[in-house]
Amino acid sequence: MNARLLRTLAIAYGFMLPMLALKAVYTFWPILFGTYLAFTEYNIISPPRWVGLRNFEELFGLGAFAGRGPDRDFWYGLTNSVKYVLVVPVIQILSIGLAMLVNRQLPAISLFRTAYYVPVVTSFAVVGLMWNWMYNQYGPVNFILTRLGLMNPDNPTNLLANPHLALYAVMFVTIWKGLGYYMVLYLAGLQSIDKSLEEAAVIDGAGRWQVFWNITLPGLRPTILVCSLLSTISAIKVFEEIFVMTSGGPAGSTYTAMYFVYAQAFQDFRYGYAAAAGLVIAAVSLIFGVINFRLTRGGSSS
Amino acid sequence: MPDLELQRIRARKRLRVLLERVLIYLLLLLILVVSVYPFVWTFVTSLETSGGIFEFPPSLVPTDPSLRNYKEVFSLVPVARQVLNSLLLCVFGVGLSVAFCALAAYPLAKMNFPGRNFVFYAILATLVLPNEAGLIVNYVTTVKLGLLRPETGAVGQFAAIILPALPSTVGLFLLRQAYLAVPLELIEAARIDGASELTIWRRVMLPLTMPTIAAFSILQFVAIWNSFLWAVIVLRDRELYPLAAGLLDLAGAFATNTRAVSAGAIIQIIPILIIFFVFQRYFMRGLEGAVKG
């Protein structure tokens, strides 16, 4: 009996060994070691030196750093990252609408679905370049804006060069690239809703809006939880689109929390300080995750 | 006459349905233009060699199309080499991660052993657990493993890029779901016949879950082909850049040469688009499956 259990254990963990080993090194170890690094000073070359809460004091402007005040770059970045969460409700509402729009039997509908998905499979390297061109002073976006009378045609300005608008311009790109992804997920959600419920409601005389509000939306709730959670997590740690499109500019207006972490680690070689910032961002991300959970009532469909 | 009344109501209803359809298609077309236009613009620009690049109104068809910009990209950066790098990374990245996920998912789906649920949920939790310091620590780990030392050469640097991408949680999850649907009687029968677990995995589980394996392979191929950030951080040697990272390099060095850069961008997208259009069905299946649980 015992030998059999041992055999099963050996076989089971043998099958999982490569996966678990890599997961341990590249996923679990970073959580542990990253937390430890946050309390040290570390530049990779010499071993980490324990500094207690000093990194956090520097971030928050406490203790030894009380005179200097909080690290402005960090808080500026974190504020922008939190602003970026604005993307979440917009992208969820738009993608639910889009999923409902394409969730019908119409000629050529699958062609549209496929086309909407193309931005999702495109690298941020390409997406960033393309949208830099789109936003060019004399590019297509400004062409439309001038025609709509929203911009002076004699002197158009690049939205990405405008400190008040650059962050929103990048947000638009995030939405543009993510929309198709969430559309597919909501499409799956819509198709899992029992059709007879909607039909019964229609027979009972419910209008379209009532059907949507009382049947479709509650049925989508688990999908909404998953999608908004995923998109909140990636909004807080937004980095790639910034890295490719604006490098945090102009005048720091698109500088985000993860850009701060990146700059501290790979430009200033302050790995401990960067890890501390990462830990604070993780905490913020967790808080937003919990808010998400509350707002969707845990994703239960009742 | 009631008959006439009925006809009128029917006609009005038909008109309403028709009107609604027209509106739907207009909306669909508008969204189509927004999603696809940047690609069209880039493609048109990559084919043109003269005239203004940015102009009001933007051009929709290339005037005097030619492949000169594509030739130019090849002379500016080692595109062929970068394509090869990307292909190598994809082949090893997809092959190994499919193998590792397919192996690990088997006991998680079809065996009873202590720690099974713990292992599964610990891995699943990493999907939502914030890990903002991950990039830093993985860089430290990569350096400490000695993968970036000059004497490890290209193999070391490629390993440095690909290793973190191998243990895919989504892949593990998809395959476990697929294995769960395999009837236990098949496995029991094979066990009675004296087949080893590895044989059962290879002869029973893998053939029965091929669609899922295909779906995950495609997802993983696209992810690896498109990734650039980790490569830019880790790689010392620009010769070893994958295409997506090389493209950013090109755009940084020749920012004003929009035509050449747009040709580079098109070269980067084309393989992905082909794969996406050919294997679309698998693609969507993988994506949906990843979220259903």
Side-chain angles (χ1 to χ4, degrees), chain B residues 8-20:
Chain B
R8 208 177 304 153
I9 291 173
R10 268 204 200 123
R12 208 181 300 158
K13 197 169 173 193
R14 236 188 339 238
L15 192 72
R16 232 188 61 185
V17 168
L18 191 75
L19 207 69
E20 199 183 287

PDB file of all heavy atoms in Angstrom, chain B residues 8-20:
ATOM      1  N   ARG B   8     -50.081  45.460 -44.156  1.00  0.00           N
ATOM      2  CA  ARG B   8     -49.388  46.716 -43.872  1.00  0.00           C
ATOM      3  C   ARG B   8     -48.454  46.548 -42.669  1.00  0.00           C
ATOM      4  O   ARG B   8     -47.326  47.008 -42.665  1.00  0.00           O
ATOM      5  CB  ARG B   8     -50.413  47.824 -43.622  1.00  0.00           C
ATOM      6  CG  ARG B   8     -49.830  49.175 -44.012  1.00  0.00           C
ATOM      7  CD  ARG B   8     -50.838  50.297 -43.843  1.00  0.00           C
ATOM      8  NE  ARG B   8     -52.063  50.090 -44.577  1.00  0.00           N
ATOM      9  CZ  ARG B   8     -53.254  50.611 -44.201  1.00  0.00           C
ATOM     10  NH1 ARG B   8     -53.332  51.319 -43.088  1.00  0.00           N
ATOM     11  NH2 ARG B   8     -54.315  50.413 -44.928  1.00  0.00           N
ATOM     12  N   ILE B   9     -48.960  45.847 -41.654  1.00  0.00           N
ATOM     13  CA  ILE B   9     -48.122  45.622 -40.470  1.00  0.00           C
ATOM     14  C   ILE B   9     -46.877  44.830 -40.851  1.00  0.00           C
ATOM     15  O   ILE B   9     -45.765  45.149 -40.460  1.00  0.00           O
ATOM     16  CB  ILE B   9     -48.926  44.876 -39.379  1.00  0.00           C
ATOM     17  CG1 ILE B   9     -50.001  45.818 -38.819  1.00  0.00           C
ATOM     18  CG2 ILE B   9     -48.014  44.406 -38.254  1.00  0.00           C
ATOM     19  CD1 ILE B   9     -50.946  45.125 -37.868  1.00  0.00           C
ATOM     20  N   ARG B  10     -47.089  43.808 -41.683  1.00  0.00           N
ATOM     21  CA  ARG B  10     -45.955  42.987 -42.116  1.00  0.00           C
ATOM     22  C   ARG B  10     -44.927  43.815 -42.873  1.00  0.00           C
ATOM     23  O   ARG B  10     -43.728  43.711 -42.634  1.00  0.00           O
ATOM     24  CB  ARG B  10     -46.453  41.851 -43.008  1.00  0.00           C
ATOM     25  CG  ARG B  10     -46.745  40.626 -42.193  1.00  0.00           C
ATOM     26  CD  ARG B  10     -46.664  39.380 -43.016  1.00  0.00           C
ATOM     27  NE  ARG B  10     -47.413  38.336 -42.306  1.00  0.00           N
ATOM     28  CZ  ARG B  10     -48.419  37.666 -42.844  1.00  0.00           C
ATOM     29  NH1 ARG B  10     -48.773  37.871 -44.086  1.00  0.00           N
ATOM     30  NH2 ARG B  10     -49.033  36.743 -42.156  1.00  0.00           N
ATOM     31  N   ALA B  11     -45.433  44.638 -43.773  1.00  0.00           N
ATOM     32  CA  ALA B  11     -44.536  45.459 -44.584  1.00  0.00           C
ATOM     33  C   ALA B  11     -43.733  46.394 -43.690  1.00  0.00           C
ATOM     34  O   ALA B  11     -42.518  46.563 -43.873  1.00  0.00           O
ATOM     35  CB  ALA B  11     -45.336  46.258 -45.610  1.00  0.00           C
ATOM     36  N   ARG B  12     -44.441  46.969 -42.706  1.00  0.00           N
ATOM     37  CA  ARG B  12     -43.741  47.899 -41.818  1.00  0.00           C
ATOM     38  C   ARG B  12     -42.668  47.165 -41.009  1.00  0.00           C
ATOM     39  O   ARG B  12     -41.573  47.649 -40.797  1.00  0.00           O
ATOM     40  CB  ARG B  12     -44.751  48.557 -40.876  1.00  0.00           C
ATOM     41  CG  ARG B  12     -44.271  49.939 -40.443  1.00  0.00           C
ATOM     42  CD  ARG B  12     -45.248  50.593 -39.493  1.00  0.00           C
ATOM     43  NE  ARG B  12     -46.560  50.785 -40.077  1.00  0.00           N
ATOM     44  CZ  ARG B  12     -47.675  50.935 -39.330  1.00  0.00           C
ATOM     45  NH1 ARG B  12     -47.613  50.866 -38.022  1.00  0.00           N
ATOM     46  NH2 ARG B  12     -48.838  51.130 -39.911  1.00  0.00           N
ATOM     47  N   LYS B  13     -43.008  45.940 -40.601  1.00  0.00           N
ATOM     48  CA  LYS B  13     -42.060  45.157 -39.823  1.00  0.00           C
ATOM     49  C   LYS B  13     -40.822  44.817 -40.666  1.00  0.00           C
ATOM     50  O   LYS B  13     -39.696  44.906 -40.211  1.00  0.00           O
ATOM     51  CB  LYS B  13     -42.731  43.872 -39.337  1.00  0.00           C
ATOM     52  CG  LYS B  13     -41.942  43.258 -38.202  1.00  0.00           C
ATOM     53  CD  LYS B  13     -42.699  42.153 -37.516  1.00  0.00           C
ATOM     54  CE  LYS B  13     -41.804  41.468 -36.498  1.00  0.00           C
ATOM     55  NZ  LYS B  13     -42.381  40.220 -36.044  1.00  0.00           N
ATOM     56  N   ARG B  14     -41.109  44.438 -41.936  1.00  0.00           N
ATOM     57  CA  ARG B  14     -40.002  44.122 -42.829  1.00  0.00           C
ATOM     58  C   ARG B  14     -39.084  45.320 -43.006  1.00  0.00           C
ATOM     59  O   ARG B  14     -37.874  45.213 -43.009  1.00  0.00           O
ATOM     60  CB  ARG B  14     -40.541  43.640 -44.176  1.00  0.00           C
ATOM     61  CG  ARG B  14     -39.984  42.279 -44.529  1.00  0.00           C
ATOM     62  CD  ARG B  14     -40.314  41.835 -45.913  1.00  0.00           C
ATOM     63  NE  ARG B  14     -41.447  42.498 -46.509  1.00  0.00           N
ATOM     64  CZ  ARG B  14     -42.543  41.854 -46.953  1.00  0.00           C
ATOM     65  NH1 ARG B  14     -42.631  40.561 -46.852  1.00  0.00           N
ATOM     66  NH2 ARG B  14     -43.527  42.503 -47.520  1.00  0.00           N
ATOM     67  N   LEU B  15     -39.703  46.472 -43.144  1.00  0.00           N
ATOM     68  CA  LEU B  15     -38.936  47.692 -43.327  1.00  0.00           C
ATOM     69  C   LEU B  15     -38.061  47.950 -42.098  1.00  0.00           C
ATOM     70  O   LEU B  15     -36.897  48.326 -42.212  1.00  0.00           O
ATOM     71  CB  LEU B  15     -39.885  48.871 -43.554  1.00  0.00           C
ATOM     72  CG  LEU B  15     -39.191  50.146 -44.035  1.00  0.00           C
ATOM     73  CD1 LEU B  15     -38.749  49.980 -45.483  1.00  0.00           C
ATOM     74  CD2 LEU B  15     -40.121  51.340 -43.892  1.00  0.00           C
ATOM     75  N   ARG B  16     -38.653  47.709 -40.934  1.00  0.00           N
ATOM     76  CA  ARG B  16     -37.902  47.945 -39.702  1.00  0.00           C
ATOM     77  C   ARG B  16     -36.706  47.004 -39.606  1.00  0.00           C
ATOM     78  O   ARG B  16     -35.605  47.398 -39.247  1.00  0.00           O
ATOM     79  CB  ARG B  16     -38.825  47.749 -38.493  1.00  0.00           C
ATOM     80  CG  ARG B  16     -38.781  48.959 -37.561  1.00  0.00           C
ATOM     81  CD  ARG B  16     -39.540  48.678 -36.300  1.00  0.00           C
ATOM     82  NE  ARG B  16     -38.980  47.552 -35.567  1.00  0.00           N
ATOM     83  CZ  ARG B  16     -39.531  47.037 -34.462  1.00  0.00           C
ATOM     84  NH1 ARG B  16     -40.654  47.547 -34.003  1.00  0.00           N
ATOM     85  NH2 ARG B  16     -38.975  46.030 -33.849  1.00  0.00           N
ATOM     86  N   VAL B  17     -36.937  45.738 -39.952  1.00  0.00           N
ATOM     87  CA  VAL B  17     -35.848  44.758 -39.913  1.00  0.00           C
ATOM     88  C   VAL B  17     -34.748  45.163 -40.889  1.00  0.00           C
ATOM     89  O   VAL B  17     -33.555  45.123 -40.582  1.00  0.00           O
ATOM     90  CB  VAL B  17     -36.381  43.348 -40.254  1.00  0.00           C
ATOM     91  CG1 VAL B  17     -35.232  42.380 -40.496  1.00  0.00           C
ATOM     92  CG2 VAL B  17     -37.275  42.849 -39.127  1.00  0.00           C
ATOM     93  N   LEU B  18     -35.162  45.612 -42.074  1.00  0.00           N
ATOM     94  CA  LEU B  18     -34.199  46.021 -43.099  1.00  0.00           C
ATOM     95  C   LEU B  18     -33.385  47.214 -42.625  1.00  0.00           C
ATOM     96  O   LEU B  18     -32.149  47.234 -42.720  1.00  0.00           O
ATOM     97  CB  LEU B  18     -34.940  46.377 -44.394  1.00  0.00           C
ATOM     98  CG  LEU B  18     -34.039  46.553 -45.603  1.00  0.00           C
ATOM     99  CD1 LEU B  18     -33.566  45.202 -46.110  1.00  0.00           C
ATOM    100  CD2 LEU B  18     -34.776  47.300 -46.708  1.00  0.00           C
ATOM    101  N   LEU B  19     -34.094  48.178 -42.046  1.00  0.00           N
ATOM    102  CA  LEU B  19     -33.438  49.387 -41.560  1.00  0.00           C
ATOM    103  C   LEU B  19     -32.427  49.032 -40.464  1.00  0.00           C
ATOM    104  O   LEU B  19     -31.311  49.541 -40.429  1.00  0.00           O
ATOM    105  CB  LEU B  19     -34.495  50.347 -41.009  1.00  0.00           C
ATOM    106  CG  LEU B  19     -34.110  51.812 -41.058  1.00  0.00           C
ATOM    107  CD1 LEU B  19     -34.081  52.281 -42.503  1.00  0.00           C
ATOM    108  CD2 LEU B  19     -35.103  52.642 -40.243  1.00  0.00           C
ATOM    109  N   GLU B  20     -32.865  48.121 -39.594  1.00  0.00           N
ATOM    110  CA  GLU B  20     -31.989  47.719 -38.504  1.00  0.00           C
ATOM    111  C   GLU B  20     -30.725  47.061 -39.045  1.00  0.00           C
ATOM    112  O   GLU B  20     -29.622  47.322 -38.586  1.00  0.00           O
ATOM    113  CB  GLU B  20     -32.754  46.756 -37.603  1.00  0.00           C
ATOM    114  CG  GLU B  20     -32.137  46.642 -36.226  1.00  0.00           C
ATOM    115  CD  GLU B  20     -32.892  45.619 -35.393  1.00  0.00           C
ATOM    116  OE1 GLU B  20     -34.015  45.946 -34.982  1.00  0.00           O
ATOM    117  OE2 GLU B  20     -32.378  44.521 -35.180  1.00  0.00           O
TER     118      GLU B  20
END
